[in-house]
Amino acid sequence: MGKWTRRGVLSAGVVGGTGLVIGIAVRPGNPTETAGHLVTGKGENLLHIYLKIDDQNRATAILPHSEMGQGAQTALTQMLAEELDADWDLMRFEEAPADGAYANMALGRGYLFAGVNFPDAVVPTVDGLVLKLADALGMQITGGSMSIRSTGQYFIRAAGAAVREMLVNAASKAWGVPQDEIRTANSRLYHDTSGRSAPYSEFAAAAARVTPSSTPKLKKAGQFTVMGQSKPRHDIPSKVDGTAMFAMDVKRPGMVYAAIRRTPVAGGTLLRLDDSKARAMSGVIDVIKIDALKASGMLGAYSAGDSVAVVADSYWRAEKALAVLELEWSTKGKEQVSSASIFEQFDRDITAGVNRLVDVASGDADAAFDSATTLLTADYRVPYLAHTCMEPPNATAEVTADRAEIWIGCQNPLGFRQHLAANLGLDLEQVTLHNYFMGGGFGRKSNADYALQTAIIARRVGRPVQMVYSRAEDIKQDFYRPAVQSRFKAGLDADGKLIAWQNTYVDKHEPAEAPLIPYAVPTQDIGHVASPTHVPFGAWRSVDHSQHGFFTESFIDEAAHAAGRDPYEFRAEMLKDKPRLLAVLNRVAQEANWGRPMEEGRGRGISLQESFGSIVGQVVEVTVSGGKTWVDRVVAVIDAGYAVSPDGMKAQIESGIIYGLSAAMYGEITIEQGAVAQSSFADYDAIRMHDAPVMETHIINSGAAMGGAGEPGTPGVAPALANAIFDATGKRVRTLPVIKADLRSDAEASPSVAAVGA
Amino acid sequence: MTTFTLNGEVRTVNTDPETPALWVIREQLDLTGTKFGCGMAQCGACTIHVNGRAQRSCITPVSSLEGASVTTIEGLKGADGTLHALQQAWIDQQVPQCGYCQSGQLMSAAALLAENPSPSDSDIDNAMRGNVCRCGMYGRIRSAIKQVADASFYDAMEGNQNG
Ligand code: FES
Ligand code: FES
């Protein structure tokens, strides 16, 4: 499988580069000419690619991110309203169309980067690949916790500020007064000395023709009145009465339904298909074979094997007929591959260390280990994980010879549209994509396989088709969080100081910094070896942090215990030159009453993790009894620089924690005879109401550069949990999920002996 | 042919008798608030009320609804359109993330409170454990249920005082 880059351009520094994104400009008239028809209706003026104002003085944010529940759209609207000095009650938002105009060069350079020269190194990329530009701008991809910290911080706020200046400029001309005598508030312009005032709408058309400053002035944190407030999310009322539209709620005239099954062994081919029984069943319209699909690059490289779909007049009938198909698949020579053989391979490859690539090398590792008085080694393992979005992958499509239209919930509307066009042999303009609320995304819905399958089926049956994955198909045909093994060695000196840290793990993806540790350990040697498997992998909430957070924050805990030190103090001492991290660690220890004695059978564990620009500290409290673990409480502290919507941020962190906890406690996809063995919530369960911990989240507004919130809650919970279990039982969980670990005490493990003893 | 009352209206459907009510409600009766999450009674996304009791519509054969009174999320509001107290609490507590599980969560919670207006934490656990929320909003769901339970407790007290 090829190198998978979710944010290749970003890591090359396009957005991250200093001084690059300094001005947002709108060329006179241009947005209305090129994009206006896409997003404006009667009485509406498009003043900026991200903003229109109507004749009722309502301002609408046009947002290039999909809503999968993270509340990003409301927070982005807050950022726009803040800089625009808009009346919050007059603010609306809608999702930008998945249209070329929303990510083409004219828009990208003309509006977003007007007057800014790209560094030479970036130009070929930008000119060559529109999609990459869109990605670099965070324009349409929702993932990487990018919405607020990139789109919002760099573009949306600047858009609001620029438009405010354009309105002031237009009013100053009309009123014949200097711009600096005009103030703005609540979506109105005021000239106090003459007593004049007008709503923004009055000058919207004139302002749309103004050439804006390429460096609009942004507010400072102390001036915020809309940002920093917990505004009720706009999408919530529709999500309590059944009216919210998810892709699966779409119904087209004459629509039929498809159920689908792909080869159980990834990459396999269909050897034999007998559909005679299925075709004889009532309501069955067609049985369709779909050849292996492939994608690369920005969609997350994937290759998937053949699949078969049954089309019927109801989904139930389609599923029933699918169940009676006689299918024979090739196993691609993978019938011997199992989770056990995969971990044996990892173990071998780590030991062999062939072509080991180094992330960090500081000091002389051999010398440091020689001088150490205590040596510590451990191997950690995590299994494959599925996403199990609550809404299984599905789409509705209508495809003719020269047109394709698709209704879907996805994390990358423009990328999906490109992918469909390329694979259906159509021009981009011939493909229309309507994006809906996603019933969960978590990274799964950035892979376009389900969109393309649907479009192929629709083309073949020549009528609108809704294709829905069964839960089993969802679990068996995912792009999994990879299984990973990581080998550690640590050296402590006579004073119990950690002097050397060595780590070799298999397979590196993103983000590059995930395996690094923040602690001041003088000698470090962190590296990785390749150990590819045939199991498809993809982005899973927090990506590589989800495994390395568990590994490194567990092993540092082992080192603390080996040194006979308190795990919190041990960490704190090595963070003296990292004040932001230290502040989070101290705060979470304090909020969780770290050090307060606990009853027998209970334990407390701590973790600290920086990811996606945010720092999260967690303390988990557990009770372990009869070998079973109960997570009683999770206390979290996040420093994401600044919380645009504190309540929304808390919800995101707690959501991320439960997602990570589900995986840590129960999550395990196993491979048997080359195929995924799990198929339902019965064998791939999640945290539920009765085992959800009490949670509290505290926010630090440090004023540092903004970080994400959708993912950073996830990585730290597994290590804090494992550390708490160690505190409670003295047993170290080095392989997830926890449910597989034998945590019974000796007495519990041999009750008869205990009984005799008693 | 199966005839039942759906959100107060008499409806008759003609389909394979073993078809799960979920698909009949969504595809034939065009009420899409009831969600498909697993089809195996393992996630609760499809929860409806049948004669006032919470039931997983994905394993409820439509034929079993003959003569029954069925309520879906669309029928949880009052006849005058006012939100059910739980729906308002869901907004107050900003419960939904993606929202996909929430119809089912609300229907399970509403059935619980109809039977037991002041549930304990373990009552809530038992009534709600069949409803998965992959966005992990259990804490907020619990708070919202308690908000309504406490209010009805308070109303009952006030009622007693007034009476
Ligand atoms: S869809 Fe019925 S319980 Fe999951
Ligand atoms: S809100 Fe997304 S699954 Fe519950």
Side-chain angles (χ1 to χ4, degrees), chain B residues 23-122:
Chain B
W23 301 113
V24 176
I25 290 167
R26 288 182 55 85
E27 293 175 4
Q28 285 183 255
L29 301 172
D30 287 330
L31 293 181
T32 54
T34 305
K35 300 302 185 202
F36 165 66
C38 69
M40 294 178 278
Q42 293 172 347
C43 78
C46 65
T47 307
I48 58 171
H49 293 175
V50 178
N51 298 327
R53 300 187 68 101
Q55 202 162 310
R56 311 291 180 223
S57 65
C58 68
I59 53 152
T60 301
V62 67
S63 55
S64 73
L65 296 181
E66 182 62 44
S69 167
V70 175
T71 307
T72 65
I73 186 69
E74 290 89 350
L76 197 59
K77 285 181 187 173
D80 60 351
T82 50
L83 294 178
H84 186 286
L86 281 168
Q87 290 174 307
Q88 187 56 52
W90 248 240
I91 295 172
D92 296 345
Q93 304 285 341
Q94 295 281 291
V95 172
Q97 286 277 304
C98 81
Y100 194 78
C101 73
Q102 299 297 346
S103 297
Q105 304 279 3
L106 278 156
M107 296 309 280
S108 290
L112 165 68
L113 290 187
E115 211 169 88
N116 177 0
S118 43
S120 66
D121 275 319
S122 71

Side-chain angles (χ1 to χ4, degrees), chain A residues 449-513:
Chain A
D449 57 326
Y450 63 108
L452 186 53
Q453 285 173 320
T454 310
I456 291 170
I457 299 166
R459 170 177 275 183
R460 294 266 272 284
V461 292
R463 34 201 299 202
V465 173
Q466 180 167 91
M467 188 278 311
V468 180
Y469 277 24
S470 66
R471 181 55 68 188
E473 189 71 3
D474 169 56
I475 292 176
K476 289 183 179 298
Q477 303 298 342
D478 203 343
F479 297 87
Y480 304 90
R481 196 290 302 276
V484 186
Q485 179 166 340
S486 192
R487 179 166 299 165
F488 288 94
K489 184 173 177 185
L492 299 160
D493 70 10
D495 299 329
K497 286 216 161 23
L498 184 54
I499 55 168
W501 174 277
Q502 191 173 55
N503 175 208
T504 304
Y505 59 93
V506 293
D507 289 335
K508 185 180 189 65
H509 303 298
E510 290 185 3
E513 67 275 15

Side-chain angles (χ1 to χ4, degrees), chain A residues 58-138:
Chain A
R58 287 178 297 221
T60 301
I62 304 161
L63 301 172
H65 286 288
S66 325
E67 186 63 59
M68 41 185 177
Q70 72 282 50
Q73 294 183 336
T74 300
L76 288 169
T77 307
Q78 280 179 257
M79 297 173 100
L80 189 70
E82 179 70 63
E83 297 293 350
L84 184 63
D85 278 341
D87 180 341
W88 180 250
D89 294 333
L90 293 172
M91 286 300 301
R92 309 276 183 276
F93 63 80
E94 62 191 41
E95 188 175 327
D99 194 279
Y102 260 77
N104 69 24
M105 286 306 299
L107 289 167
R109 289 187 113 165
Y111 300 149
L112 299 175
F113 289 113
V116 177
N117 288 320
F118 287 97
D120 286 349
V122 175
V123 170
T125 319
V126 173
D127 284 339
L129 271 172
V130 167
L131 187 57
K132 288 211 168 194
L133 174 65
D135 185 62
L137 300 181

Side-chain angles (χ1 to χ4, degrees), chain A residues 314 316-317, chain B residues 15-24 28 60-63:
Chain A
S314 84
W316 172 247
R317 285 176 161 176
Chain B
T15 183
D16 309 344
E18 81 277 19
T19 308
L22 169 66
W23 301 113
V24 176
Q28 285 183 255
T60 301
V62 67
S63 55

